[in-house]
Amino acid sequence: MHILDRPRHEDLVREVREAGARIQFISTATWPGRSPRPPGQRRRHAHRIGGTPEGIITAAALKCMDGEIQTRLWPKDDAERQQTLDAGHDVSRC
């Protein structure tokens, strides 16, 4: 699992480790979903908040690679929210 290395994720890190999963910390806000899975790796999971337009692009890229994304769109401001709604996306759906 990839997790952005930020103090706000301390609780999440603890829960993931208690569940027995391994964590690869990301030091920058680069979205790991844009890179293909290493050979032999069946799944890739990343946890991140923000970047609604980037999340939509990542979802499209993953779909092209026969992958999937589970996300909730979280616009950073009213302008991004309106742009997301205008594009036909439901920001209240998980």
Side-chain angles (χ1 to χ4, degrees), residues 5-92:
D5 191 10
R6 298 292 187 267
R8 66 179 180 257
H9 293 147
E10 288 176 3
D11 292 339
L12 174 65
V13 168
R14 186 177 56 258
E15 290 176 26
V16 169
R17 286 185 171 151
E18 287 173 359
R22 293 181 301 171
I23 299 171
Q24 182 177 9
F25 288 101
I26 303 166
S27 59
T28 64
T30 300
W31 182 249
R34 287 185 278 193
S35 61
R37 291 185 309 240
Q41 183 177 336
R42 296 183 65 186
R43 296 180 187 221
R44 163 170 269 158
H45 180 87
H47 178 82
R48 174 174 197 272
I49 187 170
T52 298
E54 292 85 353
I56 293 169
I57 291 168
T58 300
L62 287 170
K63 187 172 183 175
C64 291
M65 296 186 310
D66 198 29
E68 64 181 60
I69 189 170
Q70 295 177 7
T71 188
R72 179 172 184 182
L73 301 177
W74 200 278
K76 65 182 175 187
D77 55 32
D78 289 336
E80 190 171 281
R81 174 180 287 281
Q82 190 58 53
Q83 182 182 18
T84 303
L85 293 171
D86 290 347
H89 301 290
D90 182 356
V91 296
S92 64

